[in-house]
Amino acid sequence: MTPDPMSIAVLIAVFSGIFGIAIGSFLNVVVYRVPLGMSLVAPASACPNCKTEIRKRDNVPVLSWLLLRGKCRDCGEPISARYPLVEGGTAVFFLAVAAYFSHSVAAPQPTALAISNVLALVAYLYLVAITVALALIDLETHTLPNRIVLPGYAVAGALFLAASIVAGNYDALIRAGIGMSGLWLLYAILAFSYPRGMGFGDVKLAGVLGLFLGWAGWGPLLIGAFAAFLLGGIFSIVLLAAKKANRKSGIPFGPWMLAGAWVGIVFGNQLWGGYLSLIGLTA
């Protein structure tokens, strides 16, 4: 009996969501340790107050925090709600992205194309993980660590190259390369023109996001690039209007680059098609 594509899509989304909870737990470690230059594997996680190593039964994502009522088992020190929020939020993010891409994996198609689409899905789930980590780190420290950004070139490049080889089609890979180079160059020009307004961490992240946007299509690339500046601009105006910042305040741009990229990935083709129709051109 041939599996129903809808059932396969649901299984992919649910499995990805469950996997996302575990990834979210790891991202909590990443967000805390990477800015401090610490190892991600040692020492074991411990209570910052009493230094007691966290027991395995107290390290179950979301559930342990709920059972402990948000406090350390040994000293009663409050445990930030950010931990379960990151774990649960990452799970939802993974589930949503997998659901969005699952139709391309579950649809009846040649095996080679299905494998290619699975590799692309893995790449975008990887983007989810670094999106969560980089957004939180940039909001807290105004930095985009090389330890997270630079591997993105290798991971996304390898997955997209493998997907292209398996499918025997290199159009998307070429477009991804153009997107990477184009966004990197755009941000480099902006950073050199106005170094106080944009750091080189943004430039390096732009290249990574260009890979993902370019792979998704020309519409996503253009919309994603524009959306970053639109969202960042709106946020800055709101802060200025609320007097929470002034013209000299340093406002992290990384989260808006990442948010803009996801707008492009998910809505880019529709928005670009709608724009072309609006000006009398066909998409």
Side-chain angles (χ1 to χ4, degrees), residues 137-216:
I137 291 173
D138 201 16
L139 287 171
E140 289 186 355
T141 69
H142 290 201
T143 61
L144 295 166
N146 286 336
R147 287 176 66 184
I148 301 175
V149 175
L150 295 183
Y153 286 96
V155 174
L159 287 168
F160 288 147
L161 175 60
S164 296
I165 292 173
V166 171
N169 187 330
Y170 296 89
D171 291 346
L173 184 65
I174 294 171
R175 197 170 55 237
I178 294 173
M180 176 189 71
S181 304
L183 276 193
W184 189 97
L185 181 60
L186 171 63
Y187 275 77
I189 293 172
L190 293 173
F192 283 116
S193 301
Y194 186 52
R196 290 183 57 186
M198 184 168 292
F200 206 70
D202 297 322
V203 178
K204 288 176 279 191
L205 176 59
V208 175
L209 297 180
L211 271 169
F212 288 95
L213 287 166
W215 180 272

Side-chain angles (χ1 to χ4, degrees), residues 75-241:
C75 69
E77 179 75 5
I79 303 171
S80 173
R82 191 183 77 175
Y83 291 98
L85 288 175
V86 169
E87 293 161 353
T90 303
V92 172
F93 204 166
F94 263 62
L95 188 151
V97 170
Y100 177 78
F101 285 99
S102 62
H103 69 279
S104 65
V105 176
Q109 60 193 307
T111 302
L113 185 57
I115 294 174
S116 177
N117 288 330
V118 167
L119 291 169
L121 171 58
V122 172
Y124 283 101
L125 291 178
Y126 171 79
L127 178 59
V128 170
I130 65 173
T131 292
V132 174
L134 289 173
L136 291 174
I137 291 173
D138 201 16
L139 287 171
E140 289 186 355
T141 69
H142 290 201
T143 61
L144 295 166
N146 286 336
R147 287 176 66 184
I148 301 175
V149 175
L150 295 183
Y153 286 96
V155 174
L159 287 168
F160 288 147
L161 175 60
S164 296
I165 292 173
V166 171
N169 187 330
Y170 296 89
D171 291 346
L173 184 65
I174 294 171
R175 197 170 55 237
I178 294 173
M180 176 189 71
S181 304
L183 276 193
W184 189 97
L185 181 60
L186 171 63
Y187 275 77
I189 293 172
L190 293 173
F192 283 116
S193 301
Y194 186 52
R196 290 183 57 186
M198 184 168 292
F200 206 70
D202 297 322
V203 178
K204 288 176 279 191
L205 176 59
V208 175
L209 297 180
L211 271 169
F212 288 95
L213 287 166
W215 180 272
W218 294 117
L221 176 59
L222 295 170
I223 294 297
F226 174 75
F229 293 99
L230 177 63
L231 294 173
I234 292 173
F235 179 72
S236 299
I237 292 171
V238 170
L239 288 182
L240 291 171

